[in-house]
Amino acid sequence: MITIWEIDYYSRPVLDENQKKVWELVICESELDSTPLHGFRYTEFCPGTQVNSIWLQSALANAIQQAPHPPDRIRFFRRQMFNMISKACSDLGIPAAISRRTHTLSRWSNERHSDFYPNQPGYQPSQNPSV
């Protein structure tokens, strides 16, 4: 069985104590149908001052250690993150590609934007959500 991860690495509607946007790595295992999320999920916040492929590679390695199955490949949808995500994944030996088929990630992101982020300290509602 092939394991595909869908990831997003981007700023969130949350500000840190210095009023800087907090970034977050969000990972979920692709689901084959529209059932409720039940596969592997992982999140890790990243300070805005540490946003780079080195931090991302380390966070992905942490997620791989916690996952029941390492990913055979990774999908992501943000073109502006292509270089950073591709570099981190390449250094880990995992193929990564831009894809519009990040449906599980989209559903989970919508849940996080409505249920999780508004309850975080420093939450800043946005008229232009990041997803």
Side-chain angles (χ1 to χ4, degrees):
M1 180 175 173
I2 294 176
T3 301
I4 300 171
W5 282 3
E6 299 172 13
I7 74 168
D8 189 25
Y9 181 48
Y10 208 68
S11 65
R12 299 299 180 225
V14 177
L15 301 179
D16 66 14
E17 59 279 351
N18 297 319
Q19 301 303 301
K20 302 290 182 191
K21 283 230 176 195
V22 173
W23 282 58
E24 183 182 34
L25 171 62
V26 178
I27 300 170
C28 60
E29 190 173 329
S30 289
E31 300 289 331
L32 299 176
D33 54 36
S34 61
T35 59
L37 296 170
H38 62 274
F40 176 71
R41 295 193 282 177
Y42 178 89
T43 64
E44 188 172 337
F45 283 108
C46 173
T49 58
Q50 295 181 22
V51 175
N52 57 47
S53 63
I54 296 168
W55 184 94
L56 179 57
Q57 180 182 346
S58 175
L60 285 169
N62 289 339
I64 289 168
Q65 289 178 348
Q66 295 180 32
H69 308 284
D72 294 298
R73 61 188 144 174
I74 289 177
R75 293 182 187 149
F76 61 99
F77 67 94
R78 292 188 196 275
R79 290 193 184 281
Q80 63 268 43
M81 300 307 295
F82 179 83
N83 289 339
M84 199 176 304
I85 292 174
S86 295
K87 169 82 170 114
C89 292
S90 174
D91 289 350
L92 289 169
I94 304 167
I98 292 176
S99 175
R100 292 183 183 191
R101 296 184 328 174
T102 55
H103 305 293
T104 305
L105 178 63
S106 178
R107 287 189 359 243
W108 191 28
S109 291
N110 288 336
E111 288 177 19
R112 290 180 69 75
H113 277 276
S114 64
D115 301 335
F116 179 74
Y117 300 124
N119 296 315
Q120 299 305 301
Y123 172 70
Q124 299 291 308
S126 171
Q127 293 179 333
N128 295 322
S130 65
V131 176

